[in-house]
Amino acid sequence: MLKRVIILASIFIGLAIALSYYKFELDRIDRINNAIRRSEELLREKRDNVRVYKEQVEFYKTREGIEHLAREQYNLVLPGERVILLRSPDAAPE
């Protein structure tokens, strides 16, 4: 009788250890899969950024791109163009 109790207890303890280890490994696999998913999303974002930056570089290599940059950042105009300034109604008079 004591021998059966010891055997059953050993089996139960072995099963408990195996199941807890199995659960631990499943959790670890889930964490790794989540990390992989996040890394893949970040990689996709970075690739999209690189694509956009390459398109911008190609655009700014063209005459239109250079003109756009000159107008936007340096407020330059081509000869013969007019500049129209719009004032907000609540702007202070000069």
Side-chain angles (χ1 to χ4, degrees):
M1 179 72 179
L2 182 59
K3 191 175 182 183
R4 280 188 181 166
V5 171
I6 292 173
I7 292 173
L8 285 175
S10 298
I11 291 172
F12 179 73
I13 290 172
L15 259 167
I17 291 171
L19 288 175
S20 65
Y21 182 74
Y22 183 73
K23 170 79 168 96
F24 172 77
E25 287 299 315
L26 285 179
D27 290 344
R28 192 172 132 231
I29 290 169
D30 190 43
R31 285 193 307 271
I32 291 170
N33 284 335
N34 287 335
I36 290 170
R37 225 173 289 118
R38 285 190 307 268
S39 295
E40 287 174 343
E41 289 173 14
L42 182 62
L43 180 61
R44 253 190 310 280
E45 288 176 19
K46 297 294 181 184
R47 283 185 178 156
D48 288 344
N49 288 344
V50 167
R51 182 185 48 76
V52 168
Y53 294 147
K54 283 182 179 179
E55 289 172 359
Q56 287 177 346
V57 165
E58 290 304 314
F59 173 71
Y60 286 117
K61 284 182 180 179
T62 65
R63 179 173 175 81
E64 293 82 17
I66 293 170
E67 287 178 3
H68 177 77
L69 187 65
R71 292 171 192 275
E72 291 292 317
Q73 288 192 0
Y74 302 108
N75 298 320
L76 298 177
V77 294
L78 290 173
E81 288 183 335
R82 288 185 176 174
V83 176
I84 299 174
L85 299 175
L86 301 175
R87 293 184 191 238
S88 173
D90 43 322
E94 292 181 16

